[in-house]
Amino acid sequence: MKIQWSLIAALLFALITAVFAVINVNPVSVNLLFGTVNVPLILLIIGCSLIGGLIVGTFGIYRQYQMQKEIRSLAEQLIHIRQATGYTPEVQAAKEEKKKEQQDMPVEP
């Protein structure tokens, strides 16, 4: 559901940006380090929006890569700890179930 709301918000933002860009079609002067360029404002708005989207997307991909790397590292640590201690969830669950059964049994006089 979260992804759907994100998609709707992104589409709404794109629509607002497109309408804003179409309204502003006058040429503007852009000062660069090496000179001045006259560019239609619509291209400037859309170009800046695309560059911003690429920056945000790149950051998101980098963050996801870091998280996957951390998950792999933690999984390896978990395997190492289980091997060192002999702990397995199945054995632990069986022990707990057996203990619970013993507690539930009535004591005969």
Side-chain angles (χ1 to χ4, degrees), residues 33-107:
L33 293 175
F34 53 84
T36 303
V37 179
N38 285 329
V39 180
L41 188 57
I42 186 171
L43 293 180
L44 190 63
I45 292 170
I46 292 174
C48 289
S49 295
L50 288 175
I51 291 171
L54 288 173
I55 290 171
V56 169
T58 303
F59 178 75
I61 290 170
Y62 175 71
R63 182 81 171 126
Q64 185 176 7
Y65 171 75
Q66 280 185 328
M67 293 295 221
Q68 287 176 348
K69 187 176 176 183
E70 184 177 354
I71 288 169
R72 271 188 251 119
S73 172
L74 291 172
E76 290 172 2
Q77 287 178 8
L78 181 62
I79 290 170
H80 176 71
I81 290 170
R82 282 183 177 174
Q83 289 174 348
T85 61
Y87 174 82
T88 57
E90 296 83 17
V91 172
Q92 187 68 21
K95 286 180 182 178
E96 289 176 5
E97 187 175 315
K98 186 176 180 181
K99 185 187 284 187
K100 185 178 178 183
E101 287 175 2
Q102 288 176 351
Q103 290 174 353
D104 291 343
M105 294 172 107
V107 178

